[in-house]
Amino acid sequence: MRAQRNETDFRHTQEMINVLKEWEDDGECDLYFFDEAGFSQSSSLPYAWSPIAKPWEVTAYPHSKRLNVLGFLTRKGEFFHHMTTDSVTTETVIEAFDQFAAHKDPNAFAVVILDNAKMHRSKAFQRKRIDWMAHRIHLVYLSPYSPELNLIEILWREIKYRWLPLTAYSSFDKLCEAVKKVCNGYGTDYSITFA
């Protein structure tokens, strides 16, 4: 993926994000990083510690249902999210943005950084941009093939590989409950310190 990106575009996007971070630090905007993540019982578990001669065993469910989380993350510990077990479509993303618009401080100017997924570039999504601008929400797209510039990717990694207990994978209901607990507890029980 990295080999496919334009390094000049990547550096320009990186510089733009740094300027937006300065604006946020100066109180000129609220900066959010948006993305979607899926959680299922077939998620990959890279490793786990277990007592000697008592290995953890987790059943793989190749056709597990999927919980999709659409999230808006700030560097200051705010996390607004929308969950669904339906497939993520343009309509799902629009619904999440509409809920975010209704939730955010109406006087605050928000900048939302997002990737170039088809559902983020669709005609229906683009038509909604004017509505969101009326709510003082401005969208900024990352340069293609630049997931490391989207800070919410760090959150997804922490949830999947550090914060979800192995026992969460024993049933889909337990997995949903555990993901909701982590997402609802972000900023108090769970946190990431961003530079």
Side-chain angles (χ1 to χ4, degrees):
M1 194 180 335
R2 189 173 179 172
Q4 295 177 313
R5 78 175 173 213
N6 180 307
E7 286 301 320
T8 302
D9 287 348
F10 176 83
R11 284 191 299 278
H12 286 158
T13 304
Q14 200 171 31
E15 290 168 11
M16 178 189 57
I17 291 172
N18 288 335
V19 169
L20 290 170
K21 287 177 181 177
E22 289 175 13
W23 286 8
E24 181 181 46
D25 292 342
D26 293 340
E28 295 177 36
C29 74
D30 292 331
L31 183 60
Y32 292 87
F33 295 84
F34 174 82
D35 195 24
E36 306 87 6
F39 298 86
S40 73
Q41 290 175 274
S42 60
S43 293
S44 62
L45 300 170
Y47 59 87
W49 294 101
S50 65
I52 295 173
K54 295 182 181 181
W56 282 98
E57 292 184 10
V58 177
T59 305
Y61 297 92
H63 302 293
S64 167
K65 291 189 280 184
R66 182 179 170 102
L67 176 67
N68 292 301
V69 182
L70 296 83
F72 299 80
L73 176 71
T74 70
R75 297 180 302 142
K76 298 176 180 179
E78 294 175 40
F79 180 53
F80 178 81
H81 59 276
H82 172 78
M83 295 185 182
T84 182
T85 54
D86 294 331
S87 296
V88 177
T89 63
T90 293
E91 291 73 26
T92 313
V93 177
I94 288 171
E95 183 180 349
F97 268 81
D98 284 344
Q99 288 178 2
F100 172 71
H103 164 82
K104 74 172 262 313
D105 176 350
N107 298 315
F109 177 66
V111 177
V112 179
I113 294 175
L114 67 164
D115 64 27
N116 291 279
K118 287 181 182 179
M119 62 194 111
H120 303 162
R121 291 285 194 178
S122 70
K123 289 179 181 177
F125 187 82
Q126 295 304 317
R127 283 192 296 270
K128 289 290 293 183
R129 288 182 75 171
I130 293 174
D131 292 345
W132 299 324
M133 288 173 84
H135 285 82
R136 303 191 62 173
I137 298 171
H138 181 72
L139 306 183
V140 173
Y141 288 93
L142 293 169
S143 55
Y145 308 108
S146 304
E148 64 268 40
L149 296 179
N150 196 343
L151 294 184
I152 200 169
E153 296 288 356
I154 297 169
L155 175 63
W156 301 142
R157 191 168 52 247
E158 290 294 304
I159 294 173
K160 289 181 178 185
Y161 301 119
R162 282 195 52 216
W163 296 339
L164 285 181
L166 283 175
T167 54
Y169 293 91
S170 61
S171 76
F172 186 69
D173 288 341
K174 285 185 179 179
L175 179 63
C176 291
E177 184 181 312
V179 172
K180 288 175 186 175
K181 179 184 176 197
V182 171
C183 289
N184 291 334
Y186 185 79
T188 54
D189 302 326
Y190 304 90
S191 64
I192 300 169
T193 302
F194 295 107

